[in-house]
Amino acid sequence: MTLSTRRQAKRAARREARRALPFWRRLLPTWRVTLGTLTALLLLAVGAFAVLYVIVPVPDPNAHAVAQNNIYLYSDGTTEIARTGAVNRTDVTIDQIPLQTQQAVVSAEDRTFYQNRGIDLKGMLRAGWNTLLGKGMQGGSTITQQYVKNYYLTQDQTFERKGRELFIALKVDQQRDKKDILAGYLNSSYFGRGAYGIQSAAHAYYGVDVSGLTLGQGAYLASLLQAPSLYDVKTATPANREKAVARWNYALDGMVQLGFLTQADRAATTFPDPIDPQPATGLSGQAGYLVGVADDYLISSGIIDAPTLKAGGWRITTTFEKPRQDAFVKAVQDELTDELDARTRPTTDTDVRVAGASLDPATGRVVAVYGGPDYVKQPYNDALRQDNQIGSTFKPVDLAAGLIAQHTLDGRPITTESRYDGSSERPVTGGPTPYAPPNEDGVDYGNITLRYAMVKSVNSVYAQEGVDAGLARVRETAVKLGIPDSVRGMDPANTSMTLGTATPSALDLAGAYATFANHGEAHTPWSVLKLERVNPGGAVDVPKMPDHKATTAMDRSIADSVTDVLRDVVSPRGTGVAALDLNRPAAGKTGTTDSNLSAWFAGFTPELTTTVGLFRENPKSHAKEPLAGTAGLTRINGGAFPTKIWTNYMTAALNGTTTQQFDLQTGRANPDPGNWTPTGTPGSTPPSTGPTPGNATTPTGAPAPTTLTHAPSTPPAPTGAPAPGPAAPSPQNPQNPQPTPSQEQPSPTARPTQTRPTKPTSQPTGTTGPTNSATAPAQ
């Protein structure tokens, strides 16, 4: 039998034997078929790998690796505010980096770095398996792969990018020395605090050149590579600080394991606390604050994410107007800083801080902010902070909520002329918590209108009115006006919310008051006009900007009614009397908080809304300190420095513009046309409702200011309204556990007589009033 015949016979025998097997067994491939298939697939994979290795080139460095400055411009599009971004980087050679720092990085990031060929298949498989098990996205990348990603590719988490990363890493490992790869990785990596590259990181965290890093410092910088922002122990949460220290220990333990460090030296190494974050030197003066507001807007509104913004190369045209920004700085200097004397009064005239914001109410455009005196010296933007109570500047929110409700919870009408008991420390009835706030200096005002209570900032009245309107409605109204719902102090479960325990920023508060100025139409404050970036090759990125459409927060008649009342605050009898020096139609509200921890003035003209807040803060503990004694004054109210700064700034900001009149549609029978002209004609004085306490800024013997010549006419009471009369009695509550967020001065500083056109007067006598009555219900 020939060889060919024998082979045919064997094959035939195998076929017969397979036919004799059960059906299910015949479905399984033979070992020869299986082996052949696997061999073919292996050869195919090797061939594909070889082809891809050849055709995937090592690309040019990406735009991030050669990032430009971010350039911030004023609204004119040409005047530069600052240059910042992802270019805080100075490349160094591997010889400039301490050997122990290099070893710490290898220990923390890739312990097989000196042995692998650019990739670690075992690590990649382990990372993929852990990812499949639901342990989160695992890295598994070598230092070479991370360098390739940073320098040549992007941060995209796609299979295509990971595939390219693998082939380029293999080529780079073949073409370049390990020292060069490690140097490239350390020069291109981000360490947090805006520092790209280890040289910038050494300066940012320890204030030294990279060559001066100690073992512990180098190990900490190595630990930052895993989570740069989260592991900054100066700003991290307690949990993230623990993770950062654990990562530092991991790096040092790995150095011992790899033979880079003795156990004795490891045991002697202690954690090296970094220095506090330092601002970029290019952000001195007001630049850093403006950049912070612009960045906050871009990121919080979703226009661009933080890493993309940090990558640099953006040209950012802001809404800030340089003349108005300069005017804000000068106003603070003229009205406050020049009055402080830290040498004579070191315990009261130091650490006094101002927060301010100014915007166009018709559009929401932010035209100026005041975040502090110099960003380099004080790298905290006070214009954006949300930890200062706003006091009585919240009372217009109470009033607006009441006008929206139209009636108290038990059915009595609420209008601007509704009468309340203005007795100091009168217990609030119907509130969720006991509350009996004192008026400034304990003045008892008797039975007064809500309008007059706003003019004199009577705490007892608005504490009750807010409860009558419904605390949930008050909160809802505040949020619709523009106060973020996340700020502290707006809990309807606390009666004291009515007097301004809320802590919005100066910018938030300006947005809320701008809604009143804009007849109830709300805009979220915005600060960037245009954003563009030119990429290598000429392509231009122009992200889509929001259209800034207004939302209706309340009916125009309600917003205009509040504005009408706030105009009376800026009058010779109001707490905002100092704002009369603006010599323009204006409306606003002062605010002073319990223990004199902060003072505010929020006000507007038809064309511009501005807020100014004043507070003191311990620079080390960041605890709030009383303003009492500042500039030698016993008490600092919202009608003092905040109103003076506001007036100084607004005078300069509106200089050269046409004076606009308020166009108010209050729904009253005879609404004020809004015309206002200063005259020398004294007006009639409203009846006294109690002793008039002095203002800390009023010189002894100063003449009493003249009063507003017009008092609003009172609309007729709706059918069924209760008859007028003194406020309903309430049970006295000797306990007053609530904080008192608002302590206002009812007596203004003397000013030259300036009046508006006369209206019929209807000021309270202290005992009786018109038919509208919204006294607190008895419990």
Side-chain angles (χ1 to χ4, degrees), residues 193-237:
R193 296 193 182 186
Y196 284 81
I198 196 161
Q199 169 73 332
S200 296
H203 277 280
Y205 287 91
Y206 294 107
V208 299
D209 284 330
V210 65
S211 59
L213 289 173
T214 65
L215 167 62
Q217 292 170 346
Y220 176 62
L221 295 186
S223 68
L224 285 169
L225 290 165
Q226 186 180 63
S229 298
L230 296 179
Y231 287 179
D232 185 344
V233 295
K234 286 295 184 179
T235 58
T237 63

mmCIF file of all heavy atoms in Angstrom, residues 193-237:
data_model
loop_
_atom_site.group_PDB
_atom_site.id
_atom_site.type_symbol
_atom_site.label_atom_id
_atom_site.label_comp_id
_atom_site.label_asym_id
_atom_site.label_seq_id
_atom_site.Cartn_x
_atom_site.Cartn_y
_atom_site.Cartn_z
ATOM 1 N N ARG A 193 -2.373 73.487 41.116
ATOM 2 C CA ARG A 193 -2.002 74.881 41.363
ATOM 3 C C ARG A 193 -1.533 75.587 40.090
ATOM 4 O O ARG A 193 -0.720 76.513 40.133
ATOM 5 C CB ARG A 193 -0.911 74.981 42.436
ATOM 6 C CG ARG A 193 -1.327 74.493 43.800
ATOM 7 C CD ARG A 193 -0.349 74.900 44.882
ATOM 8 N NE ARG A 193 -0.758 74.378 46.191
ATOM 9 C CZ ARG A 193 -0.166 74.657 47.331
ATOM 10 N NH1 ARG A 193 0.873 75.482 47.339
ATOM 11 N NH2 ARG A 193 -0.594 74.150 48.471
ATOM 12 N N GLY A 194 -2.026 75.156 38.941
ATOM 13 C CA GLY A 194 -1.645 75.765 37.681
ATOM 14 C C GLY A 194 -0.240 75.458 37.253
ATOM 15 O O GLY A 194 0.278 76.087 36.320
ATOM 16 N N ALA A 195 0.424 74.489 37.888
ATOM 17 C CA ALA A 195 1.828 74.181 37.611
ATOM 18 C C ALA A 195 1.946 73.000 36.660
ATOM 19 O O ALA A 195 1.546 71.886 36.990
ATOM 20 C CB ALA A 195 2.556 73.883 38.915
ATOM 21 N N TYR A 196 2.520 73.256 35.497
ATOM 22 C CA TYR A 196 2.826 72.206 34.533
ATOM 23 C C TYR A 196 4.329 71.990 34.552
ATOM 24 O O TYR A 196 5.101 72.913 34.358
ATOM 25 C CB TYR A 196 2.364 72.599 33.129
ATOM 26 C CG TYR A 196 0.869 72.478 32.943
ATOM 27 C CD1 TYR A 196 0.029 73.477 33.388
ATOM 28 C CD2 TYR A 196 0.315 71.353 32.358
ATOM 29 C CE1 TYR A 196 -1.344 73.372 33.246
ATOM 30 C CE2 TYR A 196 -1.058 71.229 32.203
ATOM 31 C CZ TYR A 196 -1.879 72.242 32.652
ATOM 32 O OH TYR A 196 -3.232 72.121 32.510
ATOM 33 N N GLY A 197 4.725 70.737 34.785
ATOM 34 C CA GLY A 197 6.142 70.437 34.872
ATOM 35 C C GLY A 197 6.637 70.519 36.304
ATOM 36 O O GLY A 197 6.138 71.281 37.133
ATOM 37 N N ILE A 198 7.650 69.714 36.603
ATOM 38 C CA ILE A 198 8.093 69.584 37.987
ATOM 39 C C ILE A 198 8.819 70.820 38.491
ATOM 40 O O ILE A 198 8.839 71.093 39.693
ATOM 41 C CB ILE A 198 8.971 68.325 38.140
ATOM 42 C CG1 ILE A 198 9.110 67.977 39.623
ATOM 43 C CG2 ILE A 198 10.300 68.505 37.417
ATOM 44 C CD1 ILE A 198 9.538 66.567 39.892
ATOM 45 N N GLN A 199 9.416 71.607 37.594
ATOM 46 C CA GLN A 199 10.067 72.841 38.043
ATOM 47 C C GLN A 199 9.028 73.830 38.582
ATOM 48 O O GLN A 199 9.192 74.397 39.657
ATOM 49 C CB GLN A 199 10.853 73.465 36.885
ATOM 50 C CG GLN A 199 11.365 74.869 37.127
ATOM 51 C CD GLN A 199 12.544 74.936 38.088
ATOM 52 O OE1 GLN A 199 12.689 74.089 38.962
ATOM 53 N NE2 GLN A 199 13.368 75.958 37.932
ATOM 54 N N SER A 200 7.932 74.021 37.843
ATOM 55 C CA SER A 200 6.870 74.908 38.303
ATOM 56 C C SER A 200 6.209 74.356 39.556
ATOM 57 O O SER A 200 5.817 75.112 40.458
ATOM 58 C CB SER A 200 5.821 75.101 37.203
ATOM 59 O OG SER A 200 6.396 75.747 36.085
ATOM 60 N N ALA A 201 6.085 73.029 39.638
ATOM 61 C CA ALA A 201 5.486 72.415 40.816
ATOM 62 C C ALA A 201 6.344 72.641 42.054
ATOM 63 O O ALA A 201 5.824 72.895 43.148
ATOM 64 C CB ALA A 201 5.283 70.920 40.579
ATOM 65 N N ALA A 202 7.662 72.541 41.907
ATOM 66 C CA ALA A 202 8.557 72.773 43.041
ATOM 67 C C ALA A 202 8.380 74.183 43.586
ATOM 68 O O ALA A 202 8.372 74.402 44.806
ATOM 69 C CB ALA A 202 10.005 72.531 42.626
ATOM 70 N N HIS A 203 8.216 75.153 42.697
ATOM 71 C CA HIS A 203 7.994 76.535 43.126
ATOM 72 C C HIS A 203 6.606 76.700 43.737
ATOM 73 O O HIS A 203 6.438 77.398 44.752
ATOM 74 C CB HIS A 203 8.161 77.489 41.934
ATOM 75 C CG HIS A 203 9.577 77.848 41.659
ATOM 76 N ND1 HIS A 203 10.273 78.800 42.365
ATOM 77 C CD2 HIS A 203 10.463 77.359 40.743
ATOM 78 C CE1 HIS A 203 11.506 78.906 41.911
ATOM 79 N NE2 HIS A 203 11.654 78.036 40.923
ATOM 80 N N ALA A 204 5.599 76.064 43.133
ATOM 81 C CA ALA A 204 4.223 76.240 43.593
ATOM 82 C C ALA A 204 3.998 75.640 44.972
ATOM 83 O O ALA A 204 3.258 76.205 45.786
ATOM 84 C CB ALA A 204 3.248 75.615 42.594
ATOM 85 N N TYR A 205 4.632 74.511 45.270
ATOM 86 C CA TYR A 205 4.358 73.820 46.525
ATOM 87 C C TYR A 205 5.416 74.050 47.607
ATOM 88 O O TYR A 205 5.109 73.959 48.801
ATOM 89 C CB TYR A 205 4.220 72.310 46.273
ATOM 90 C CG TYR A 205 2.936 71.946 45.574
ATOM 91 C CD1 TYR A 205 2.881 71.890 44.178
ATOM 92 C CD2 TYR A 205 1.783 71.686 46.284
ATOM 93 C CE1 TYR A 205 1.696 71.573 43.524
ATOM 94 C CE2 TYR A 205 0.590 71.363 45.643
ATOM 95 C CZ TYR A 205 0.555 71.311 44.272
ATOM 96 O OH TYR A 205 -0.615 71.005 43.637
ATOM 97 N N TYR A 206 6.657 74.356 47.190
ATOM 98 C CA TYR A 206 7.704 74.512 48.205
ATOM 99 C C TYR A 206 8.572 75.756 48.014
ATOM 100 O O TYR A 206 9.475 76.004 48.826
ATOM 101 C CB TYR A 206 8.590 73.257 48.248
ATOM 102 C CG TYR A 206 7.824 72.057 48.732
ATOM 103 C CD1 TYR A 206 7.438 71.037 47.856
ATOM 104 C CD2 TYR A 206 7.448 71.943 50.071
ATOM 105 C CE1 TYR A 206 6.706 69.948 48.303
ATOM 106 C CE2 TYR A 206 6.715 70.854 50.523
ATOM 107 C CZ TYR A 206 6.347 69.857 49.640
ATOM 108 O OH TYR A 206 5.617 68.791 50.090
ATOM 109 N N GLY A 207 8.304 76.545 46.986
ATOM 110 C CA GLY A 207 9.030 77.785 46.802
ATOM 111 C C GLY A 207 10.502 77.603 46.512
ATOM 112 O O GLY A 207 11.319 78.478 46.842
ATOM 113 N N VAL A 208 10.889 76.481 45.894
ATOM 114 C CA VAL A 208 12.294 76.212 45.587
ATOM 115 C C VAL A 208 12.417 75.730 44.147
ATOM 116 O O VAL A 208 11.433 75.314 43.523
ATOM 117 C CB VAL A 208 12.881 75.141 46.539
ATOM 118 C CG1 VAL A 208 12.825 75.616 47.985
ATOM 119 C CG2 VAL A 208 12.151 73.804 46.383
ATOM 120 N N ASP A 209 13.638 75.791 43.613
ATOM 121 C CA ASP A 209 13.907 75.156 42.332
ATOM 122 C C ASP A 209 13.841 73.643 42.509
ATOM 123 O O ASP A 209 14.034 73.113 43.616
ATOM 124 C CB ASP A 209 15.290 75.541 41.810
ATOM 125 C CG ASP A 209 15.324 76.943 41.243
ATOM 126 O OD1 ASP A 209 14.275 77.393 40.727
ATOM 127 O OD2 ASP A 209 16.378 77.595 41.318
ATOM 128 N N VAL A 210 13.606 72.935 41.413
ATOM 129 C CA VAL A 210 13.479 71.494 41.500
ATOM 130 C C VAL A 210 14.733 70.857 42.080
ATOM 131 O O VAL A 210 14.667 69.845 42.794
ATOM 132 C CB VAL A 210 13.149 70.904 40.106
ATOM 133 C CG1 VAL A 210 14.294 71.129 39.126
ATOM 134 C CG2 VAL A 210 12.814 69.420 40.214
ATOM 135 N N SER A 211 15.887 71.439 41.819
ATOM 136 C CA SER A 211 17.142 70.870 42.318
ATOM 137 C C SER A 211 17.232 70.926 43.836
ATOM 138 O O SER A 211 18.036 70.205 44.431
ATOM 139 C CB SER A 211 18.339 71.619 41.713
ATOM 140 O OG SER A 211 18.274 72.999 42.049
ATOM 141 N N GLY A 212 16.418 71.755 44.479
ATOM 142 C CA GLY A 212 16.453 71.885 45.929
ATOM 143 C C GLY A 212 15.446 71.030 46.655
ATOM 144 O O GLY A 212 15.296 71.148 47.887
ATOM 145 N N LEU A 213 14.724 70.172 45.959
ATOM 146 C CA LEU A 213 13.722 69.323 46.601
ATOM 147 C C LEU A 213 14.374 68.285 47.512
ATOM 148 O O LEU A 213 15.378 67.673 47.165
ATOM 149 C CB LEU A 213 12.880 68.603 45.546
ATOM 150 C CG LEU A 213 11.894 69.454 44.729
ATOM 151 C CD1 LEU A 213 11.283 68.618 43.617
ATOM 152 C CD2 LEU A 213 10.804 70.044 45.627
ATOM 153 N N THR A 214 13.776 68.083 48.676
ATOM 154 C CA THR A 214 14.219 67.020 49.576
ATOM 155 C C THR A 214 13.548 65.709 49.182
ATOM 156 O O THR A 214 12.662 65.673 48.317
ATOM 157 C CB THR A 214 13.857 67.353 51.029
ATOM 158 O OG1 THR A 214 12.419 67.379 51.155
ATOM 159 C CG2 THR A 214 14.427 68.717 51.433
ATOM 160 N N LEU A 215 13.950 64.633 49.870
ATOM 161 C CA LEU A 215 13.345 63.331 49.613
ATOM 162 C C LEU A 215 11.841 63.372 49.834
ATOM 163 O O LEU A 215 11.058 62.941 48.986
ATOM 164 C CB LEU A 215 13.983 62.277 50.519
ATOM 165 C CG LEU A 215 13.258 60.920 50.611
ATOM 166 C CD1 LEU A 215 13.205 60.234 49.251
ATOM 167 C CD2 LEU A 215 13.937 60.031 51.653
ATOM 168 N N GLY A 216 11.412 63.902 50.991
ATOM 169 C CA GLY A 216 9.983 63.951 51.300
ATOM 170 C C GLY A 216 9.211 64.828 50.338
ATOM 171 O O GLY A 216 8.088 64.491 49.927
ATOM 172 N N GLN A 217 9.780 65.973 49.973
ATOM 173 C CA GLN A 217 9.105 66.877 49.045
ATOM 174 C C GLN A 217 8.966 66.243 47.670
ATOM 175 O O GLN A 217 7.905 66.334 47.036
ATOM 176 C CB GLN A 217 9.888 68.184 48.959
ATOM 177 C CG GLN A 217 9.856 69.004 50.242
ATOM 178 C CD GLN A 217 10.839 70.169 50.215
ATOM 179 O OE1 GLN A 217 11.732 70.235 49.351
ATOM 180 N NE2 GLN A 217 10.685 71.093 51.159
ATOM 181 N N GLY A 218 10.026 65.606 47.197
ATOM 182 C CA GLY A 218 9.952 64.940 45.897
ATOM 183 C C GLY A 218 8.912 63.843 45.885
ATOM 184 O O GLY A 218 8.179 63.654 44.901
ATOM 185 N N ALA A 219 8.820 63.100 47.006
ATOM 186 C CA ALA A 219 7.817 62.031 47.085
ATOM 187 C C ALA A 219 6.404 62.603 47.086
ATOM 188 O O ALA A 219 5.480 62.005 46.506
ATOM 189 C CB ALA A 219 8.061 61.198 48.343
ATOM 190 N N TYR A 220 6.206 63.777 47.714
ATOM 191 C CA TYR A 220 4.870 64.381 47.700
ATOM 192 C C TYR A 220 4.496 64.840 46.297
ATOM 193 O O TYR A 220 3.358 64.622 45.856
ATOM 194 C CB TYR A 220 4.801 65.560 48.671
ATOM 195 C CG TYR A 220 3.471 66.270 48.630
ATOM 196 C CD1 TYR A 220 2.297 65.611 48.968
ATOM 197 C CD2 TYR A 220 3.372 67.592 48.200
ATOM 198 C CE1 TYR A 220 1.060 66.243 48.907
ATOM 199 C CE2 TYR A 220 2.147 68.236 48.140
ATOM 200 C CZ TYR A 220 0.999 67.561 48.490
ATOM 201 O OH TYR A 220 -0.221 68.184 48.420
ATOM 202 N N LEU A 221 5.428 65.448 45.585
ATOM 203 C CA LEU A 221 5.124 65.856 44.212
ATOM 204 C C LEU A 221 4.826 64.626 43.361
ATOM 205 O O LEU A 221 3.951 64.670 42.481
ATOM 206 C CB LEU A 221 6.295 66.642 43.621
ATOM 207 C CG LEU A 221 6.608 67.994 44.273
ATOM 208 C CD1 LEU A 221 7.703 68.729 43.485
ATOM 209 C CD2 LEU A 221 5.362 68.866 44.360
ATOM 210 N N ALA A 222 5.516 63.530 43.612
ATOM 211 C CA ALA A 222 5.238 62.296 42.880
ATOM 212 C C ALA A 222 3.824 61.803 43.174
ATOM 213 O O ALA A 222 3.114 61.316 42.290
ATOM 214 C CB ALA A 222 6.256 61.223 43.252
ATOM 215 N N SER A 223 3.375 61.949 44.427
ATOM 216 C CA SER A 223 2.033 61.491 44.786
ATOM 217 C C SER A 223 0.952 62.352 44.153
ATOM 218 O O SER A 223 -0.162 61.881 43.918
ATOM 219 C CB SER A 223 1.873 61.484 46.309
ATOM 220 O OG SER A 223 1.874 62.803 46.838
ATOM 221 N N LEU A 224 1.266 63.619 43.863
ATOM 222 C CA LEU A 224 0.285 64.517 43.256
ATOM 223 C C LEU A 224 -0.084 64.099 41.839
ATOM 224 O O LEU A 224 -1.155 64.459 41.344
ATOM 225 C CB LEU A 224 0.827 65.952 43.222
ATOM 226 C CG LEU A 224 0.834 66.722 44.546
ATOM 227 C CD1 LEU A 224 1.629 68.009 44.401
ATOM 228 C CD2 LEU A 224 -0.587 67.035 44.991
ATOM 229 N N LEU A 225 0.783 63.361 41.165
ATOM 230 C CA LEU A 225 0.542 63.014 39.765
ATOM 231 C C LEU A 225 -0.741 62.213 39.585
ATOM 232 O O LEU A 225 -1.389 62.291 38.547
ATOM 233 C CB LEU A 225 1.736 62.228 39.208
ATOM 234 C CG LEU A 225 3.013 63.049 39.021
ATOM 235 C CD1 LEU A 225 4.216 62.135 38.830
ATOM 236 C CD2 LEU A 225 2.857 64.000 37.839
ATOM 237 N N GLN A 226 -1.162 61.486 40.604
ATOM 238 C CA GLN A 226 -2.378 60.674 40.479
ATOM 239 C C GLN A 226 -3.639 61.534 40.517
ATOM 240 O O GLN A 226 -4.594 61.264 39.791
ATOM 241 C CB GLN A 226 -2.429 59.626 41.593
ATOM 242 C CG GLN A 226 -3.595 58.662 41.444
ATOM 243 C CD GLN A 226 -3.639 57.629 42.546
ATOM 244 O OE1 GLN A 226 -3.802 57.961 43.714
ATOM 245 N NE2 GLN A 226 -3.478 56.362 42.182
ATOM 246 N N ALA A 227 -3.662 62.571 41.354
ATOM 247 C CA ALA A 227 -4.853 63.435 41.493
ATOM 248 C C ALA A 227 -4.400 64.825 41.934
ATOM 249 O O ALA A 227 -4.473 65.158 43.121
ATOM 250 C CB ALA A 227 -5.836 62.846 42.486
ATOM 251 N N PRO A 228 -3.917 65.635 41.003
ATOM 252 C CA PRO A 228 -3.272 66.909 41.359
ATOM 253 C C PRO A 228 -4.112 67.829 42.225
ATOM 254 O O PRO A 228 -3.627 68.356 43.227
ATOM 255 C CB PRO A 228 -2.986 67.538 39.994
ATOM 256 C CG PRO A 228 -2.940 66.409 39.042
ATOM 257 C CD PRO A 228 -3.908 65.402 39.557
ATOM 258 N N SER A 229 -5.364 68.046 41.874
ATOM 259 C CA SER A 229 -6.186 69.001 42.619
ATOM 260 C C SER A 229 -6.690 68.397 43.929
ATOM 261 O O SER A 229 -6.704 69.066 44.970
ATOM 262 C CB SER A 229 -7.370 69.459 41.771
ATOM 263 O OG SER A 229 -6.905 70.125 40.613
ATOM 264 N N LEU A 230 -7.090 67.138 43.897
ATOM 265 C CA LEU A 230 -7.654 66.503 45.081
ATOM 266 C C LEU A 230 -6.616 66.286 46.172
ATOM 267 O O LEU A 230 -6.941 66.303 47.362
ATOM 268 C CB LEU A 230 -8.285 65.160 44.714
ATOM 269 C CG LEU A 230 -9.493 65.208 43.772
ATOM 270 C CD1 LEU A 230 -9.994 63.802 43.493
ATOM 271 C CD2 LEU A 230 -10.610 66.061 44.351
ATOM 272 N N TYR A 231 -5.351 66.086 45.813
ATOM 273 C CA TYR A 231 -4.316 65.750 46.780
ATOM 274 C C TYR A 231 -3.506 66.950 47.251
ATOM 275 O O TYR A 231 -2.484 66.776 47.908
ATOM 276 C CB TYR A 231 -3.370 64.704 46.189
ATOM 277 C CG TYR A 231 -3.964 63.309 46.088
ATOM 278 C CD1 TYR A 231 -3.229 62.261 45.558
ATOM 279 C CD2 TYR A 231 -5.255 63.034 46.534
ATOM 280 C CE1 TYR A 231 -3.755 60.981 45.457
ATOM 281 C CE2 TYR A 231 -5.802 61.763 46.439
ATOM 282 C CZ TYR A 231 -5.062 60.745 45.905
ATOM 283 O OH TYR A 231 -5.589 59.486 45.802
ATOM 284 N N ASP A 232 -3.945 68.166 46.931
ATOM 285 C CA ASP A 232 -3.305 69.360 47.488
ATOM 286 C C ASP A 232 -3.762 69.485 48.933
ATOM 287 O O ASP A 232 -4.889 69.880 49.216
ATOM 288 C CB ASP A 232 -3.693 70.600 46.689
ATOM 289 C CG ASP A 232 -2.961 71.853 47.143
ATOM 290 O OD1 ASP A 232 -2.385 71.859 48.258
ATOM 291 O OD2 ASP A 232 -2.973 72.842 46.396
ATOM 292 N N VAL A 233 -2.898 69.141 49.885
ATOM 293 C CA VAL A 233 -3.316 69.032 51.282
ATOM 294 C C VAL A 233 -3.707 70.381 51.884
ATOM 295 O O VAL A 233 -4.328 70.422 52.947
ATOM 296 C CB VAL A 233 -2.214 68.384 52.142
ATOM 297 C CG1 VAL A 233 -1.977 66.952 51.713
ATOM 298 C CG2 VAL A 233 -0.918 69.199 52.079
ATOM 299 N N LYS A 234 -3.362 71.490 51.233
ATOM 300 C CA LYS A 234 -3.729 72.811 51.749
ATOM 301 C C LYS A 234 -5.180 73.165 51.422
ATOM 302 O O LYS A 234 -5.770 74.038 52.058
ATOM 303 C CB LYS A 234 -2.793 73.887 51.186
ATOM 304 C CG LYS A 234 -1.400 73.868 51.794
ATOM 305 C CD LYS A 234 -1.439 74.201 53.277
ATOM 306 C CE LYS A 234 -0.056 74.292 53.873
ATOM 307 N NZ LYS A 234 -0.064 74.631 55.308
ATOM 308 N N THR A 235 -5.753 72.502 50.450
ATOM 309 C CA THR A 235 -7.134 72.803 50.061
ATOM 310 C C THR A 235 -8.024 71.564 50.059
ATOM 311 O O THR A 235 -9.222 71.673 49.814
ATOM 312 C CB THR A 235 -7.172 73.441 48.662
ATOM 313 O OG1 THR A 235 -6.567 72.539 47.710
ATOM 314 C CG2 THR A 235 -6.412 74.764 48.638
ATOM 315 N N ALA A 236 -7.445 70.395 50.332
ATOM 316 C CA ALA A 236 -8.191 69.138 50.239
ATOM 317 C C ALA A 236 -9.148 68.968 51.410
ATOM 318 O O ALA A 236 -8.961 69.537 52.495
ATOM 319 C CB ALA A 236 -7.227 67.961 50.197
ATOM 320 N N THR A 237 -10.180 68.177 51.186
ATOM 321 C CA THR A 237 -11.058 67.764 52.273
ATOM 322 C C THR A 237 -10.269 66.831 53.195
ATOM 323 O O THR A 237 -9.234 66.278 52.802
ATOM 324 C CB THR A 237 -12.278 67.022 51.723
ATOM 325 O OG1 THR A 237 -11.831 65.822 51.061
ATOM 326 C CG2 THR A 237 -13.046 67.888 50.733
#
